[in-house]
Amino acid sequence: MATIKDVAKLAGVSTTTVSHVLNNTRFVAKETQERVYAAVQSLNYAPSAVARSLKVNQTRTLGLLVTSSSNPFFAEVVQGVEAECFKEGYSLLLCTIEGDRQKLRHYLTTLVAKRIDGLLIMCTEYDPLLFSLLESYESLPQVIMDWGPSNEFMDKIQDNSAQGGYLATQYLIDQGHTDIGCVTGPMEKLPSQQRFAGFQSAMDKAKLPINPNWVIAGDFEAISGEQAFNIIWSSAKRPTAMFVGNDVMAMGMICAAYKQGVRVPETLSVIGYDDIPMAEYFIPPLTSISQPKRDLGKLAVTTIVDKIQCKRKKGKTLLLEPSLSIRYSVSRRK
């Protein structure tokens, strides 16, 4: 295997000159550059990525820590991250924790040991251990997606969930619905709190009462959407429309309605949140609040690259605005 010394000897220059040509760290005459490149090609020389990373203190590698991968929402975000990493010339190391704290410690230690240039975190819930460990690596550029603690060094990219909850509920109101319920996500999670706050804001603005029997906390899984429907439909008074905190729960609710012979949207209108790919192909196609998932992944990468290149220490918070994807799971109230 050829070495940098072999290239220097063939090109008739010093190893330092070869290094400056390959790393573009100093001006070198064009004729000299051509001799170096010709020697590289002739010897099929491949610079050591490890040696280069030690020299320039960069590995051109990012880590992505995902706390949960079961929701289809995250797959699109990861695709956006990977595509933008490739575009920016970075490799990506993906680690999923799935609530396992032993894996969390292991993966975080491994990523740091591999000398990643920056760390992206796709966070679905607050874990004191996770954020305590992240704070111990304060010098490592970090960008957290979804939500996390407020601190001075970490960048955060968040969905404007309050606005999304408002848009969903206002659309139901615009379609003539006044008896509207809500299935939230786990209320200890900030996105769930914000989406419910948006629901409350739209109802208050329209001067519509909120029936507490129609507000149920789910867990972002399909089974909780099914359970919520069963609870609500056993009530003497029933809503005509439901804002459900994510698409997976909304699909669980629609399936439960189908089993009991309740027609969606003729009898019950349902709107979800996230606009996951299968929402368009569900029966009926699900009206949903769309988050720009690939844009979220792209923005996370461009933000951390900016942080790395500019050596920016102070963190910042960026908001992504949701939009409404209208399909067929909501009907106009006559």
Side-chain angles (χ1 to χ4, degrees):
M1 181 179 293
T3 67
I4 192 171
K5 290 182 179 179
D6 297 327
V7 174
K9 183 177 179 180
L10 183 59
V13 298
S14 68
T15 56
T16 301
T17 299
V18 173
S19 177
H20 284 312
V21 170
L22 298 181
N23 296 313
N24 195 28
T25 51
R26 196 183 71 184
F27 172 78
V28 178
K30 184 176 180 181
E31 181 183 347
T32 304
Q33 291 184 40
E34 290 174 350
R35 292 208 313 271
V36 170
Y37 288 132
V40 167
Q41 185 174 2
S42 175
L43 295 171
N44 196 26
Y45 171 69
S48 167
V50 174
R52 184 182 184 280
S53 70
L54 291 171
K55 189 173 183 65
V56 303
N57 200 30
Q58 282 191 351
T59 60
R60 303 292 294 182
T61 302
L62 300 178
L64 173 58
L65 207 60
V66 181
T67 59
S68 173
S69 60
S70 59
N71 192 314
F73 169 81
F74 301 114
E76 281 198 84
V77 176
V78 172
Q79 288 173 356
V81 169
E82 190 279 329
E84 192 63 21
C85 278
F86 182 79
K87 180 180 176 182
E88 294 283 349
Y90 281 82
S91 298
L92 181 68
L93 298 177
L94 171 63
C95 301
T96 57
I97 301 170
E98 306 295 354
D100 187 327
R101 290 192 162 190
Q102 187 174 354
K103 288 172 68 175
L104 166 60
R105 291 182 183 275
H106 171 73
Y107 285 143
L108 192 53
T109 302
T110 300
L111 289 171
V112 173
K114 289 184 178 296
R115 304 181 69 252
I116 56 173
D117 294 340
L119 179 64
L120 304 169
I121 306 101
M122 185 74 225
C123 186
T124 58
E125 60 186 30
Y126 183 82
D127 185 337
L129 174 62
L130 169 61
F131 296 119
S132 174
L133 291 173
L134 293 176
E135 287 180 357
S136 67
Y137 296 110
E138 182 176 342
S139 61
L140 178 68
Q142 300 174 29
V143 174
I144 190 163
M145 292 172 275
D146 209 347
W147 69 290
S150 297
N151 54 47
E152 293 185 353
F153 70 91
M154 184 183 293
D155 288 2
K156 290 190 292 184
I157 303 175
Q158 298 178 333
D159 163 50
N160 190 346
S161 290
Q163 177 64 10
Y166 179 88
L167 286 175
T169 310
Q170 188 60 51
Y171 179 68
L172 296 175
I173 293 170
D174 290 343
Q175 298 307 302
H177 294 275
T178 56
D179 297 326
I180 304 171
C182 180
V183 181
T184 72
M187 287 305 289
E188 67 274 13
K189 296 187 176 184
L190 185 60
S192 302
Q193 298 168 15
Q194 293 177 336
R195 291 171 195 182
F196 182 61
F199 166 77
Q200 291 176 305
S201 177
M203 295 291 281
D204 289 345
K205 183 179 179 181
K207 295 182 171 51
L208 295 175
I210 297 176
N211 187 331
N213 296 324
W214 298 343
V215 177
I216 298 174
D219 62 3
F220 286 147
E221 299 297 334
I223 186 65
S224 64
E226 181 175 8
Q227 293 168 344
F229 173 83
N230 292 333
I231 292 170
I232 289 169
W233 223 247
S234 65
S235 302
K237 182 175 174 57
R238 299 164 175 170
T240 64
M242 293 293 300
F243 164 46
V244 185
N246 80 341
D247 289 347
V248 173
M249 291 193 299
M251 291 173 180
M253 171 166 283
I254 293 172
C255 286
Y258 175 81
K259 292 175 184 177
Q260 295 199 30
V262 176
R263 294 173 64 84
V264 175
E266 291 83 357
T267 303
L268 178 67
S269 290
V270 178
I271 186 169
Y273 203 111
D274 285 340
D275 197 20
I276 60 177
M278 66 184 73
E280 185 176 358
Y281 301 101
F282 199 67
I283 301 298
L286 182 65
T287 295
S288 182
I289 297 299
S290 177
Q291 298 189 74
K293 295 170 280 298
R294 288 179 182 260
D295 288 348
L296 170 58
K298 177 179 178 180
L299 182 59
V301 175
T302 55
T303 300
I304 202 164
V305 168
D306 169 74
K307 194 167 190 175
I308 293 167
Q309 294 179 347
C310 298
K311 302 186 185 304
R312 177 170 53 82
K313 301 296 183 183
K314 190 173 180 61
K316 60 183 179 181
T317 299
L318 303 172
L319 277 181
L320 286 176
E321 296 299 328
S323 59
L324 179 64
S325 292
I326 299 174
R327 298 193 180 96
Y328 299 99
S329 63
V330 175
S331 65
R332 183 163 187 81
R333 189 72 174 165
K334 298 178 182 179

